[in-house]
Amino acid sequence: MMFGIVTGGAGFIGSHLVDALVERGDDVLVIDNLASGDEANLARHLEEGRIQFLEADLLDDGWQEQLRGADRVYHIAADPDVRGSVRTPAMMFANNVVATERVLEAMREQGVPEIAFTSTSTVYGEAAVIPTPEDYAPMEPISVYGASKLAGEALISAYCASFAMRAWVFRFANIIGERSNHGVIWDFVHKLRANPDELEILGDGRQTKSYLDVQSCVAAMLFAVTHANEAYNVFNIGSEDWVDVTTIADIVAGEMGLSTVQYRFTGGDRGWVGDVPKMQLAVDRLKALGWRPQTTSPESVRNAVRALLASV
Ligand code: NAD
């Protein structure tokens, strides 16, 4: 039986990963400081005594010994707020770079051999090649968030080579679905609940990106850790198409039964400082192992809107 540690396991993607690990019978310890996560995301497993939960901040001490005996760390914990990273770059550095280094050190000290890491399409910056493959260069992030994740990747690569560890690094497109508490869909639903007549859309609405639902994302991660066995494995995870922001607004308004919403665009080709206006990832590397995305971007958006409307 596998024993996995999931940092950030009380968050959106982390809690879905915990669901999948429990489902396949793994032992799981979640470490989370509940900064943006919520114990309610794990309620069922906690009630059934199926997982252990440790409320701890990776920037503090005291959690490291808990890693002893683990087969793998799924290092999901991070500050995921791309948009906020321009206001709090030092916090982003602490939670995404320093925390990752501390996890790697704890793994080295406690003898944990494997790490799976959730990175992001933003490591590519404004890529000249779209769909962007994993070996695209030069990697020049334009957000502090993207830079912090690229730094995390670099540390993991070095630890693999230096200390005989194995890693799977996953660069995600936009991951959406049940339990998400940020991002464009969440934003639109809440704005339209507050004012069903008008919707403010950041940028010109033509930002076009790839979206994938969270269950497919988690399935892709677990597929990769089972099928790829290099010492250091890097995979893009996303759908094979994209959708623009105005179409997302149309889907959200349609699902809310609103047909007369006036859109008010803030203008410019991007929503915020550090926003990449066009993003789609090449997923051929994972497809070559036999994985296929099960949903398109518009389908993932519609599913996510329905899940959010059902929960709030
Ligand atoms: P999330 O905020 O729901 O999850 C992050 C979790 O980490 C939260 O539960 C939070 O409480 C915890 N955490 C943060 N800092 C911590 C610390 N110092 N110590 C302990 N726990 C801490 O966000 P998410 O969208 O589920 O993102 C999960 C991962 O996927 C992140 O690494 C993020 O960068 C990455 N990612 C997400 C997307 C996306 O579209 N959602 C895209 C690319 C990459």
Side-chain angles (χ1 to χ4, degrees), residues 4 9 33 37 73 85 100 144 146 151 212 236 262 266 298 310:
N33 67 356
V73 173
S85 70
T100 298
V144 176
L212 184 69
N236 287 336
Q262 292 290 317
T266 61

Side-chain angles (χ1 to χ4, degrees), residues 91-256:
M91 267 181 61
M92 187 63 65
F93 182 79
N95 282 305
N96 294 4
V97 187
V98 177
T100 298
E101 162 66 13
R102 290 172 64 85
V103 166
L104 288 165
E105 269 301 280
M107 288 174 61
R108 189 172 69 85
E109 282 162 9
Q110 304 299 330
V112 183
E114 296 182 348
I115 182 169
F117 178 64
T118 49
S119 188
T120 153
S121 63
T122 61
V123 295
Y124 297 118
E126 286 187 70
V129 179
I130 298 177
T132 310
E134 288 89 348
D135 57 4
Y136 175 80
M139 290 169 88
E140 294 173 349
I142 60 165
S143 61
V144 176
Y145 170 76
S148 72
K149 285 290 181 172
L150 186 54
E153 289 191 16
L155 286 165
I156 291 168
S157 168
Y159 268 71
C160 283
S162 305
F163 307 113
M165 291 181 183
R166 171 171 292 156
W168 295 266
V169 167
F170 300 110
R171 296 180 184 147
F172 294 160
N174 285 317
I175 308 302
I176 53 178
E178 198 187 340
R179 302 178 204 153
S180 172
N181 60 6
H182 57 270
V184 63
I185 294 169
W186 197 90
D187 210 28
F188 284 175
V189 166
H190 285 80
K191 280 178 176 167
L192 285 172
R193 283 245 162 107
N195 180 1
D197 298 321
E198 187 185 89
L199 178 64
E200 181 197 63
I201 297 179
L202 302 180
D204 59 11
R206 288 202 285 269
Q207 306 95 292
T208 310
K209 303 182 192 184
S210 166
Y211 294 79
L212 184 69
D213 66 76
V214 65
Q215 285 90 357
S216 303
C217 169
V218 165
M221 287 172 70
L222 294 181
F223 182 90
V225 297
T226 317
H227 291 86
N229 293 310
E230 301 296 325
Y232 185 68
N233 308 274
V234 181
F235 290 102
N236 287 336
I237 295 181
S239 57
E240 291 189 278
D241 62 350
W242 53 4
V243 62
D244 67 44
V245 173
T246 304
T247 304
I248 294 175
D250 292 343
I251 294 172
V252 174
E255 289 294 325
M256 292 177 78

